[in-house]
Amino acid sequence: MRQIRTGIAFCMAALLVLVMAACSNNAGKAKVDASTEADFRLVNSEKGEIKIPAHPTRVVGLSVVYPEFLQALGVTPVAVQNYQEEFPTYLQEPFKDTLKMGIAKTPNFEMILSSNPDLILAPAWWAGKDYDQLSGIAPTVLLPERQDWRDELKDIAAVLDKKEAAEKVIQELEDYEAKAKLKLDELVGNETVLYVRVMQNSLVLNGDQVDRGKFIHTTLGLEMIPNFPEQSPSISLEKLPEYNPDHLIIQLNKEDNAEIKQTYEDMLASPLWKNMNAVKKNQVITMGDKDWFNVGMSPMANRYAVDVVLEAFEGKSK
């Protein structure tokens, strides 16, 4: 009888050990599952809800302006599209290790894959057709087309869980621009400013209907010429003196393009150019295309341009 009780006690002890081990294993598994789930988030995209890493560290931005939004939010992209050969001045240091993929109708899947991303951000209007291939490389969030860069920044911030950071970027830039506007009003007053882009064999006038012109005339408050055309017209050099502003802002559309350079040189050599008010008063400011490419479309480009415009007009006032 004593042997039977001993046997029963042994079996009960063994069973208790197995139950405790099973509980321990289940608890451990639950902990691992919870940890795994905590490493991901669900975000909205043009393809519905997408599961992405909670804290992505290797982000690809498939738009010439998305990389600037990412950097403004404190996330340096590992690979980007670049329209210019070199990054603008204000991105050269932070993007020194960022892969340049150039511009094409279709994403460079091989280069994207080589950058080993854990998240891809892309505009739906451009990358929607390539979604299956992109999402096969990494979680891909397609974002809508927006008219205002602030909305694009907020879209990206929502994906990265950085909504407060986006609001701070917007507010700080608006404060910075407002101070610059007051300063420029002191420097320039009601004198007129015309923003001209030098193209191949033509000149394009930018007013407040387009991003860069809106930045100059609305954001910074520089006075437009009277009766500016409703659209931003493309004109010949012969038509330019008809507008004859007090100040000219000149930008070559592509600084390394031989034909654009020739158009610019022909303009500088023309008697029509030399007789314009702004030229005779030495009130011509030349801007670089590389650094101004995203002006009016990005907080980083705008902040850089504010400094350049202020410096230029302060220099002209001395």
Side-chain angles (χ1 to χ4, degrees):
M1 188 70 178
R2 184 177 178 183
Q3 288 178 337
I4 293 173
R5 286 200 298 268
T6 302
I8 292 173
F10 177 79
C11 289
M12 292 293 290
L15 181 61
L16 180 61
V17 169
L18 290 173
V19 170
M20 290 177 66
C23 290
S24 175
N25 287 338
N26 287 337
K29 183 175 184 299
K31 185 176 181 181
V32 169
D33 289 345
S35 174
T36 301
E37 287 302 314
D39 289 339
F40 293 91
R41 296 171 50 240
L42 288 175
V43 299
N44 292 320
S45 82
E46 294 295 274
K47 288 288 185 178
E49 283 193 331
I50 304 294
K51 188 177 183 180
I52 70 167
H55 306 288
T57 58
R58 300 188 61 80
V59 183
V60 170
L62 293 183
S63 163
V64 292
V65 75
Y66 281 13
E68 298 202 20
F69 294 141
L70 288 167
Q71 188 63 36
L73 294 170
V75 178
T76 301
V78 294
V80 300
Q81 289 181 285
N82 54 296
Y83 180 78
Q84 308 282 357
E85 285 294 322
E86 299 298 329
F87 290 126
T89 301
Y90 53 90
L91 288 177
Q92 286 179 3
E93 176 57 29
F95 281 14
K96 62 182 185 296
D97 298 320
T98 296
L99 178 66
K100 299 174 185 173
M101 298 187 293
I103 287 288
K105 292 182 179 179
T106 300
N108 190 319
F109 302 110
E110 185 177 344
M111 293 185 80
I112 294 171
L113 183 63
S114 73
S115 68
N116 192 29
D118 54 14
L119 177 64
I120 299 171
L121 298 176
W125 60 267
W126 181 75
K129 66 185 187 307
D130 304 303
Y131 177 76
D132 290 341
Q133 287 173 275
L134 290 171
S135 59
I137 297 174
T140 299
V141 178
L142 296 183
L143 297 172
E145 185 174 7
R146 301 292 194 186
Q147 296 302 313
D148 190 321
W149 67 261
R150 294 164 186 81
D151 294 324
E152 288 188 289
L153 178 68
K154 290 176 184 178
D155 287 340
I156 291 176
V159 173
L160 299 175
D161 196 23
K162 290 178 174 286
K163 292 181 180 180
E164 290 185 5
E167 294 294 344
K168 183 179 179 182
V169 167
I170 293 169
Q171 188 59 57
E172 287 183 348
L173 178 63
E174 289 179 353
D175 293 343
Y176 199 69
E177 290 171 339
K179 290 178 181 178
K181 187 175 183 178
L182 290 173
K183 182 63 176 176
L184 286 167
D185 186 52
E186 294 176 10
L187 293 170
V188 187
N190 293 325
E191 294 180 0
T192 56
V193 177
L194 182 61
Y195 177 35
V196 180
R197 292 172 63 200
V198 181
M199 313 292 282
Q200 183 177 323
N201 300 318
S202 68
L203 307 173
V204 174
L205 312 184
N206 279 187
D208 58 4
Q209 314 95 333
V210 295
D211 291 316
R212 299 178 201 182
K214 186 176 181 180
F215 171 77
I216 290 294
H217 297 297
T218 303
T219 303
L220 297 183
L222 294 170
E223 190 76 18
M224 287 178 62
I225 58 173
N227 303 316
F228 189 91
E230 289 186 8
Q231 302 298 323
S232 291
S234 175
I235 65 170
S236 65
L237 173 61
E238 288 70 26
K239 296 282 290 183
L240 186 60
E242 294 180 14
Y243 300 99
N244 212 16
D246 298 306
H247 300 264
L248 277 162
I249 296 177
I250 303 295
Q251 178 198 329
L252 274 67
N253 193 52
K254 289 196 75 173
E255 295 152 306
D256 57 352
N257 181 286
E259 292 180 326
I260 291 175
K261 281 183 178 180
Q262 188 61 55
T263 301
Y264 178 61
E265 290 171 6
D266 291 345
M267 181 180 74
L268 297 184
S270 168
L272 295 171
W273 169 262
K274 293 176 181 178
N275 284 323
M276 292 187 67
N277 289 337
V279 177
K280 288 190 289 186
K281 295 177 182 177
N282 191 30
Q283 294 184 159
V284 179
I285 298 167
T286 305
M287 303 299 186
D289 180 57
K290 170 171 63 70
D291 291 336
W292 274 60
F293 188 75
N294 281 330
V295 168
M297 298 181 287
S298 151
M300 297 192 71
N302 278 23
R303 194 177 186 97
Y304 173 84
V306 166
D307 290 338
V308 171
V309 171
L310 270 178
E311 183 180 348
F313 277 98
E314 285 174 338
K316 295 298 180 186
S317 69
K318 293 176 181 178

